[in-house]
Amino acid sequence: MNTIEIENVHKRFGNIHALRGLSLSTRKGEIYGLLGPNGAGKSTLIRTIVGLYTPEEGTVTVLGKQMPDRNVLSQVGYMTQASALYNELTVWQNVAFFAGLMDCNDKSAIAAAIDFVGLSDRRQTPVAQLSGGMRQRLSLATVLVHKPDLILLDEPTVGVDPQLRVQFWQHFRRLAENGVTLLVSSHVMDEAERCDRLGFVRDGRLLAEGSADELRERAGTHNLEEAFLVFAGEAAHEH
Amino acid sequence: MNTKRIGHLARRVVLQVVSDRRTLALILVVPVILLTVAGVLIRVEPGEIRIGVVNEDEGVSLSDSVVLGDRLTSVFTEIGTFEAVQMNRSEADAALDEGEVDAVIYLPPTFTQDVMSTRTLTLNVQFEGSNPMLAERLNSMLERVSGQATNTVASASTGGIALDTNIEATYLHGGPEFDTLDYMAPALIGVFVFLFVFILTSIAFLRERLAGTLERLRATPIRPSEIIVGYMMGFLVFALLQGLITLLFTILVLNVHYTGNLLNVFIVETLLAITSVNLGIFLSTFARNEFQVLQFIPLVVVTQVFLGGVFWEVSAMPDWLQPVAYLMPLTHANIALRDIMLTGATLLDEWQPLLAMLAIIVAVIALSSRTAAQARI
């Protein structure tokens, strides 16, 4: 069973046609990279997957359930672009709050999530006193604390220093090895190499899909950036 | 000093305010609205005072039969300073209890006899008393009127010799020690709960939206209605805590008198806090930052303080303004809180204001749930 199954999804905001018949699916335990420039529709797609937006056409199925469906969200983790945390609360309180919403009240799970992102010595620190990188790590902890089967990450490494970025991708790989499916959006092409499969997105359409090697081969280019431009050029001809 | 640079900066500040239409409206329009309301209210003539006159005077027989009570009654009914209605004792008791009359003057069977033997005109007045301002005004009014009445009575009974007048006042509710603060305190307790819960909720919910945590919440199994109820429960803790502190302070430190059941006070405060939480959530959608939330305070809170019967009685307001006042939750809360604290009314006695509050709660919950489900993200 595919963890995410998107078929011919359309989403409009007034005059803006943000998703134009996009189809895509992810397999269990893979890291799927959603690549495309700003404004390509990556965030809209992720919000549609979690059910924040209802598409006008097409269907979104998550873990076998057609979205929007609140109940399936307890098996999903969603990390927004900006770290969404409660500044007045401590590290522990933030993780415990989001865990509680997902029906996970296990203290050892909370401790494990905080430990996973390396914030064990900051448990009682209020978020307001954390550095930007720590907040980003805490944000990840709040997303994975309830051991979801699917994690959606909207540009998780924006504004993250190179060292932490490497750490993040190690975390992602560890989660995937445990059977978690990850959908990661990015506009940084060098991160794409770390994904199992990639989807190139532009103007609300999926331009091409496959592993980094496959995409380079099909485009006949040496790097992904050029491959993206080749596919974008082909798409421009078609439409 | 570079006046040119200062000029540029001043121009930019003006432009910033002008381009924010609502801030402009707040600065220019809202004070006018508030002053208009205040102006209307301050010039409002006090509502007509109604008194009941129970005349049981049997009079005395001199050369003629002299019944001073009859003369006094006609003086009261013709004087025009207040509306006097003649009634019997049981009617008067009922009218006073229902609040249909503000005071009752009793003229006992021995009234004429007493005046003649003591040469003092003694008026037994029972005040309804829950509005001390009204009772005080009525008292001074009666003093003046009885002066006039004395002249009429004196010519008949004593051949023109002056009589002393003496008003013996009793109170159905409260008493002469009830002052304006006693009248204001129950309403102010309501105002504080409403104001602080409103500020807390609207800013908290705004932050929820701005920090992106609302988006996170909506990507979890929690329902919008659960978010609303969660907020209500959370802020109710503070509302009731605040209610307890203000109540204890007014009773123990300010020595405000009360006769009602304090549990009933808390029930009314709970309803008010629920209204306030939902109104705060709803209005927070229309604000983009904390400053814009504060702009709602004059509009939402101050108008309610003016129109909600805190200072001026709603029944004394002009007819066109009264429906506006009755749309406001604070108006109904004030009626209930005052009745409970000053006259010891039960919740059953206050079913009308409580029902009105419940209706307002249903309306604001409908608005706030829409907000929680559809807020911009």
Side-chain angles (χ1 to χ4, degrees):
Chain A
M1 185 188 73
N2 289 328
T3 41
I4 305 173
E5 193 77 61
I6 299 167
E7 271 175 63
N8 191 33
V9 158
H10 284 266
K11 179 70 197 167
R12 293 176 187 82
F13 300 100
N15 292 327
I16 299 161
H17 200 161
L19 298 178
R20 308 181 182 210
L22 196 148
S23 298
L24 171 161
S25 60
T26 60
R27 297 166 200 151
K28 184 174 158 59
E30 75 172 350
I31 303 180
Y32 189 104
L34 211 52
L35 257 77
N38 289 321
K42 302 187 300 283
S43 294
T44 306
L45 182 62
I46 291 179
R47 285 175 173 169
T48 309
I49 294 170
V50 286
L52 288 173
Y53 297 148
T54 310
E56 285 98 30
E57 279 176 57
T59 55
V60 176
T61 313
V62 172
L63 303 170
K65 294 272 161 43
Q66 189 173 333
M67 300 302 288
D69 179 341
R70 270 199 191 90
N71 296 325
V72 80
L73 291 172
S74 61
Q75 285 128 54
V76 178
Y78 168 44
M79 185 164 154
T80 50
Q81 207 161 346
S83 55
L85 300 164
Y86 297 95
N87 280 327
E88 308 82 5
L89 304 186
T90 64
V91 166
W92 180 276
Q93 287 167 335
N94 267 280
V95 179
F97 172 71
F98 284 108
L101 289 187
M102 299 295 194
D103 300 321
C104 163
N105 297 305
D106 181 8
K107 277 191 181 166
S108 63
I110 298 165
I114 295 172
D115 190 46
F116 187 81
V117 298
L119 287 173
S120 291
D121 53 340
R122 298 281 181 156
R123 278 183 187 182
Q124 302 311 324
T125 309
V127 171
Q129 292 171 25
L130 296 180
S131 70
M134 287 179 183
R135 281 178 210 205
Q136 203 74 359
R137 276 146 67 191
L138 175 58
S139 204
L140 182 63
T142 63
V143 167
L144 54 78
V145 60
H146 57 294
K147 301 191 179 68
D149 298 320
L150 171 67
I151 298 182
L152 306 156
L153 303 127
D154 195 358
E155 309 235 0
T157 55
V158 165
V160 167
D161 63 72
Q163 196 190 341
L164 183 59
R165 197 191 293 182
V166 170
Q167 253 184 46
F168 260 49
W169 281 97
Q170 286 169 354
H171 292 330
F172 297 164
R173 184 50 66 191
R174 264 169 69 195
L175 289 165
E177 280 164 4
N178 287 324
V180 179
T181 309
L182 291 99
L183 182 92
V184 185
S185 80
S186 177
H187 62 266
V188 187
M189 291 292 169
D190 69 343
E191 289 189 339
E193 300 288 350
R194 301 171 189 273
C195 300
D196 298 315
R197 283 199 307 143
L198 297 170
F200 283 166
V201 184
R202 214 184 111 149
D203 296 331
R205 292 189 183 92
L206 190 71
L207 301 177
E209 193 181 47
S211 72
D213 289 338
E214 283 168 15
L215 290 171
R216 270 190 296 258
E217 202 178 314
R218 271 165 53 197
T221 58
H222 293 290
N223 65 45
L224 281 171
E225 224 149 288
E226 287 168 8
F228 187 92
L229 294 174
V230 168
F231 289 118
E234 283 175 10
H237 266 289
E238 280 173 38
H239 298 286
Chain B
M1 293 279 271
N2 184 326
T3 49
K4 225 172 168 183
R5 280 205 295 264
I6 294 172
H8 277 300
L9 195 131
R11 205 175 109 88
R12 198 211 72 204
V13 170
V14 170
L15 280 177
Q16 276 179 314
V17 175
V18 171
S19 59
D20 185 348
R21 294 254 173 90
R22 216 185 20 211
T23 303
L24 196 65
L26 181 90
I27 296 170
L28 303 179
V29 181
V30 175
V32 177
I33 296 172
L34 294 182
L35 281 174
T36 309
V37 171
V40 168
L41 294 174
I42 289 168
R43 295 209 185 98
V44 160
E45 286 293 312
E48 189 154 37
I49 297 175
R50 281 169 59 92
I51 61 170
V53 181
V54 178
N55 178 18
E56 294 171 346
D57 188 12
E58 284 163 2
V60 289
S61 297
L62 297 171
S63 53
D64 269 325
S65 149
V66 176
V67 188
L68 291 181
D70 292 351
R71 291 180 186 238
L72 208 53
T73 303
S74 60
V75 168
F76 284 140
T77 48
E78 283 159 18
I79 206 143
T81 324
F82 43 70
E83 192 190 343
V85 183
Q86 208 176 336
M87 41 182 71
N88 66 36
R89 192 169 279 267
S90 62
E91 282 168 354
D93 287 344
L96 200 61
D97 203 41
E98 293 289 316
E100 280 168 17
V101 294
D102 302 299
V104 173
I105 298 172
Y106 294 99
L107 306 172
T110 58
F111 183 69
T112 308
Q113 222 176 339
D114 293 343
V115 170
M116 291 191 159
S117 60
T118 60
R119 304 213 155 253
T120 307
L121 187 125
T122 300
L123 285 179
N124 283 308
V125 185
Q126 188 174 23
F127 292 103
E128 194 271 336
S130 63
N131 182 343
M133 285 186 283
L134 187 75
E136 212 169 288
R137 211 170 61 224
L138 190 54
N139 207 347
S140 63
M141 223 179 252
L142 282 176
E143 267 166 32
R144 261 183 292 132
V145 172
S146 59
Q148 291 175 42
T150 311
N151 295 335
T152 318
V153 172
S155 58
S157 59
T158 61
I161 300 164
L163 294 169
D164 290 330
T165 52
N166 174 29
I167 295 176
E168 280 182 2
T170 53
Y171 293 82
L172 181 62
H173 302 298
E177 76 275 14
F178 263 50
D179 62 9
T180 307
L181 188 61
D182 293 308
Y183 181 71
M184 302 282 291
L188 287 178
I189 288 169
V191 169
F192 289 144
V193 166
F194 191 86
L195 173 69
F196 290 107
V197 172
F198 178 76
I199 295 175
L200 282 176
T201 322
S202 47
I203 289 185
F205 209 79
L206 176 89
R207 287 200 176 144
E208 188 97 75
R209 211 179 76 226
L210 294 184
T213 48
L214 184 61
E215 183 177 352
R216 279 290 307 276
L217 290 186
R218 285 176 52 196
T220 71
I222 195 166
R223 297 172 175 285
S225 55
E226 293 164 344
I227 297 177
I228 303 275
V229 176
Y231 262 79
M232 282 194 235
M233 309 264 283
F235 286 116
L236 216 50
V237 173
F238 297 107
L240 293 181
L241 202 64
Q242 189 207 43
L244 185 70
I245 292 168
T246 49
L247 210 55
L248 288 179
F249 184 79
T250 47
I251 291 168
L252 299 177
V253 181
L254 300 179
N255 289 319
V256 162
H257 303 87
Y258 75 99
T259 49
N261 183 342
L262 291 186
L263 184 68
N264 292 345
V265 174
F266 278 104
I267 289 170
V268 177
E269 285 196 308
T270 303
L271 293 180
L272 197 57
I274 289 173
T275 314
S276 197
V277 164
N278 285 287
L279 206 60
I281 290 176
F282 172 62
L283 287 177
S284 75
T285 353
F286 301 105
R288 282 189 298 274
N289 52 49
E290 273 98 338
F291 180 56
Q292 291 196 336
V293 166
L294 293 182
Q295 296 175 6
F296 285 121
I297 291 170
L299 200 67
V300 176
V301 180
V302 181
T303 44
Q304 290 207 74
V305 170
F306 280 163
L307 291 177
V310 179
F311 302 104
W312 301 279
E313 271 187 89
V314 177
S315 56
M317 288 176 192
D319 289 343
W320 60 270
L321 205 53
Q322 288 191 22
V324 183
Y326 282 115
L327 276 179
M328 301 188 168
L330 210 50
T331 307
H332 303 283
N334 284 344
I335 294 171
L337 285 173
R338 226 168 236 157
D339 286 352
I340 290 168
M341 284 185 71
L342 297 179
T343 73
T346 62
L347 291 180
L348 207 62
D349 295 332
E350 297 307 308
W351 67 271
Q352 278 174 315
L354 292 180
L355 194 69
M357 288 181 81
L358 286 175
I360 293 171
I361 284 174
V362 170
V364 288
I365 285 182
L367 293 174
S368 67
S369 330
R370 269 193 57 159
T371 300
Q374 305 183 348
R376 287 167 286 151
I377 45 176

